[in-house]
Amino acid sequence: MAMTKKELRKYYKAQRANLSTQEIEQAGAILREKILEKIPPKSNVAIFLPISSHSELDLTPLLTNTEYNWYASRSEFTTRTMVFYKIDSTTEFEINEWNIPEPPESGKISPSEIDVVVIPLLVCDLKGNRIGYGMGFYDNFLALCKESCLKLGVNYFPPVSSIADVRKDDIQLNVLLTPEKDYIF
């Protein structure tokens, strides 16, 4: 029987919290390489910056690769929207009140100009339906992106068979990368 988003969110937050620092670092190294294999050079790539207290993958080492145009978001919690700004290996990030690193407000890009979005998640199902923290930021942002935008999820864990309460406005991933396997949806 499929679990609900709330049940899966609770379970996978606990699973992630139980990962060792070594497991997180090893998975990060593998996933960063896999990301670079999936995206064409010169792409405009939106990435997430890790919330360290949530044991999220650290994608910031990718910023040294100058073949790509990297962007990271600033979040607006009252509207549940994100705006992405140009970043590189020299960008200094500030930590907002929710412990999320954010870039300076410089070099804004329109969602329609993004070629690839690397998306954080707790888990997804075999259809690419993802579960994040439940605020809808990524679904809201992805709805504004062009149809051809690659929605690339990265996670420590493989997909579950299904999620009981998927909504019509949930936006599916095209690809999920895990340290062990890649999934195409």
Side-chain angles (χ1 to χ4, degrees):
M1 181 154 112
M3 294 172 71
T4 66
K5 290 179 183 180
K6 182 178 180 180
E7 294 166 329
L8 287 164
R9 189 173 290 116
K10 180 179 179 181
Y11 177 79
Y12 280 98
K13 279 183 178 180
Q15 290 295 108
R16 188 192 284 175
N18 287 327
L19 294 172
S20 70
T21 301
Q22 183 179 10
E23 289 172 312
I24 292 168
E25 289 173 1
Q26 287 175 340
I30 292 166
L31 290 169
R32 288 187 295 270
E33 287 299 318
K34 287 185 169 201
I35 289 168
L36 293 177
E37 291 170 4
K38 293 287 184 198
I39 56 178
K42 308 291 184 217
S43 293
N44 291 328
V45 184
I47 65 169
F48 62 91
L49 300 173
I51 303 172
S52 58
S53 61
H54 291 181
S55 301
E56 289 187 336
L57 293 163
D58 184 2
L59 302 183
T60 56
L62 293 173
L63 301 179
T64 61
N65 190 315
T66 58
E67 289 186 70
Y68 309 95
N69 301 307
W70 302 106
Y71 295 86
S73 70
R74 293 184 68 89
S75 300
E76 176 51 58
F77 277 78
T78 57
T79 59
R80 295 187 181 184
T81 58
M82 299 184 302
V83 177
F84 281 80
Y85 296 94
K86 184 95 168 96
I87 59 172
D88 61 31
S89 61
T90 65
T91 302
E92 292 187 26
F93 303 104
E94 59 185 53
I95 306 297
N96 73 15
E97 62 187 285
W98 294 277
N99 206 26
I100 301 170
E102 293 184 322
E105 294 183 51
S106 175
K108 180 180 173 180
I109 189 169
S110 166
S112 64
E113 297 176 85
I114 297 287
D115 300 308
V116 179
V117 182
V118 181
I119 306 168
L121 61 137
L122 291 164
V123 71
C124 72
D125 68 12
L126 291 171
K127 294 181 180 178
N129 296 302
R130 63 174 280 283
I131 297 175
Y133 295 119
M135 299 289 290
F137 282 92
Y138 274 91
D139 287 321
N140 293 341
F141 177 74
L142 292 170
L144 302 173
C145 292
K146 59 190 171 189
E147 185 73 27
S148 63
C149 179
L150 175 63
K151 294 169 279 305
L152 182 65
V154 291
N155 199 16
Y156 301 110
F157 311 109
V160 296
S161 58
S162 65
I163 300 168
D165 51 348
V166 173
R167 296 186 337 240
K168 289 182 182 182
D169 60 340
D170 289 343
I171 305 219
Q172 297 171 322
L173 302 172
N174 302 116
V175 175
L176 171 68
L177 303 178
T178 70
E180 292 79 28
K181 186 175 176 182
D182 302 351
Y183 300 84
I184 310 296
F185 305 111

